[in-house]
Amino acid sequence: MPELPEVESVRRGLLAHDLSATIASTWRSDKALRQKGKGTQPVDFRALVGGTIETIERRGKYLIWTITKPASEKCGLLIHLGMSGRCGLARTNEPRVEHTHLVLRLADDQEIRLVDPRRFGCAIAGPLAWIAEQPCIVALGPEPLSDRLDPQHFTAQVAKQNRPIRDTLLDQTLIAGVGNIYAVEALHAVGIHPLSPARSLTKNHWRDLLSALQEVLQRGIDNGGTSLKDFRNVTGEVGKNQDDLRVYGRSGQACYRCKATLMHGTSAGRTFTYCPSHQKHLS
Ligand SMILES: [Zn+2]
């Protein structure tokens, strides 16, 4: 599933191209995506025609596009890549691949295409203010790469939580953008067992964990994201971070830190890999 570094790689990849041409037309497949906007969608994608992409920002795993149009209020486009989504650039004459669900055709012969085989993603358009008020955006916790994260805040937030810290890190309302890959990588880096109850982490644990999260997320961005099955950048290339993972997907192999054999477990229906030797089960 695309996590923060993959979504950020898509954002940066899009912005590295000249997207200043006017949106000439839009196309939406007739297949619904899993995530819907809340409240009546005030405009459909055709309202974006004639507009230009002013900027693309990221919040958690969401891309928020600002689209300006003469004599109109600013429009927003909200995209989530779900489990398997890709957002890429193509020339108008390139065939659309299967599972293409949204196309923005620019006047200069480029197309921005959202492809999502499993359709767990989201693509909604509306006035920018309406997009910003979507519950899925409002509910998001702080950005993990912010330089203002307060360990005490996290200690207090999870003070009564018995659920495993790995699962807590996936809670987008606690911290935005973290998924399974980067959660298990950060826990391995700080030597905390993924099943440790969240309440057992002290302020110092959180300080180290937040710092490790920033490190693994930044490395993921620098590597252009992790490509396990579906993820591709905007020009269709794979990221490189899968070659840099220390623990995710390495069950049965030796821990890079202590040489013990890595193991895997399951929690909340999702597997995790950990080192049974140096990752301590806090209680
Ligand atoms: Zn180890």
Side-chain angles (χ1 to χ4, degrees), residues 188 254-262 274-279:
H188 179 261
C255 175
Y256 285 133
R257 180 180 296 188
C258 71
K259 307 288 185 246
T261 303
L262 298 174
Y274 66 102
C275 173
S277 175
H278 88 261
Q279 286 185 255

Side-chain angles (χ1 to χ4, degrees), residues 50-73:
T52 53
I53 298 164
E54 181 180 296
T55 187
I56 305 171
E57 292 170 293
R58 182 192 54 73
R59 185 76 176 90
K61 301 176 194 171
Y62 288 89
L63 291 172
I64 303 173
W65 308 48
T66 300
I67 293 166
T68 52
K69 201 168 160 180
S72 296
E73 65 176 321

